[in-house]
Amino acid sequence: MLAYLFWHEPRPEVDAERYVGLLQAFHRALAAAPPPAFARSWTVRLDVAPWDAGPSRQPFEDWYLVADWAALGTLNEAAVRAPREDAHDAVAALATNGAGGLYLLQHGTLDAPAPWAGWVVKPPGEPYETFEPQLRAAVDAAGGGAVLRRQMVLGPAPEYALLAGREPELPWPARATGPRTL
């Protein structure tokens, strides 16, 4: 499973609650008319971006889950076409500071937003063969969740995304993005 993550925020003059309503309408439009091999999507409001982005109006993080690489192209086309076009255009017109990343599910499940998310970069010299099992074990010990590894960079996306029921104990620093709410 692939996860396309899109980070964005409303332009300064935009009412945040209006933005949330339009964003929810777009995700409902995707669910009501899903493109082929599209699994699900959701959005969460973050305290901070997964990278040091400076001052923010409180960013949003959209998750779009698809079965494979071909489905990503299909989603890209379908998201901006009828019957989803109006909902997409309404929120897109109010958004700014967009960035994205494409992640491959390495471990666990992606059913819905997790209560905790953190972003980790593999330390230089640390082999993937020892690093990734430690991430999986930490997530499992923190109530389960998922480990995702970045596949493509479409902005300042960190290397690993961790989702868990609570903050896991990690031997490396993680940038937590705060409570995940909408």
Side-chain angles (χ1 to χ4, degrees):
M1 177 170 287
L2 291 171
Y4 168 59
L5 277 65
F6 180 61
W7 297 279
H8 53 93
E9 61 188 24
R11 291 191 326 256
E13 70 276 11
V14 174
D15 175 71
E17 293 314 308
R18 177 173 179 238
Y19 191 77
V20 166
L22 293 171
L23 193 51
Q24 289 172 326
F26 174 61
H27 285 274
R28 282 192 306 271
L30 271 175
F38 171 79
R40 67 189 65 78
S41 68
W42 62 79
T43 192
V44 292
R45 191 181 303 196
L46 307 176
D47 287 341
V48 296
W51 57 90
D52 186 10
S56 173
R57 291 196 65 215
Q58 191 172 33
F60 291 82
E61 179 180 86
D62 291 354
W63 287 71
Y64 301 94
L65 306 182
V66 295
D68 54 31
W69 290 92
L72 184 64
T74 302
L75 172 62
N76 187 56
E77 296 272 333
V80 297
R81 305 266 185 265
R84 299 157 296 268
E85 180 179 17
D86 290 343
H88 172 274
D89 292 353
V91 72
L94 305 179
T96 189
N97 297 332
L102 187 62
Y103 289 79
L104 179 67
L105 179 64
Q106 300 284 309
H107 174 75
T109 59
L110 289 171
D111 296 324
W116 183 90
W119 303 89
V120 177
V121 175
K122 183 183 74 61
E126 177 78 32
Y128 286 101
E129 296 77 23
T130 58
F131 181 72
E132 288 183 0
Q134 292 178 70
L135 292 179
R136 293 191 294 271
V139 165
D140 289 347
V147 175
L148 298 98
R149 184 174 175 192
R150 185 185 62 213
Q151 301 296 292
M152 294 181 76
V153 178
L154 307 171
E159 187 173 14
Y160 285 88
L162 306 179
L163 303 175
R166 63 182 183 280
E167 185 171 357
E169 293 185 32
L170 298 168
W172 313 277
R175 181 174 177 89
T177 53
R180 302 175 61 74
T181 62
L182 183 60

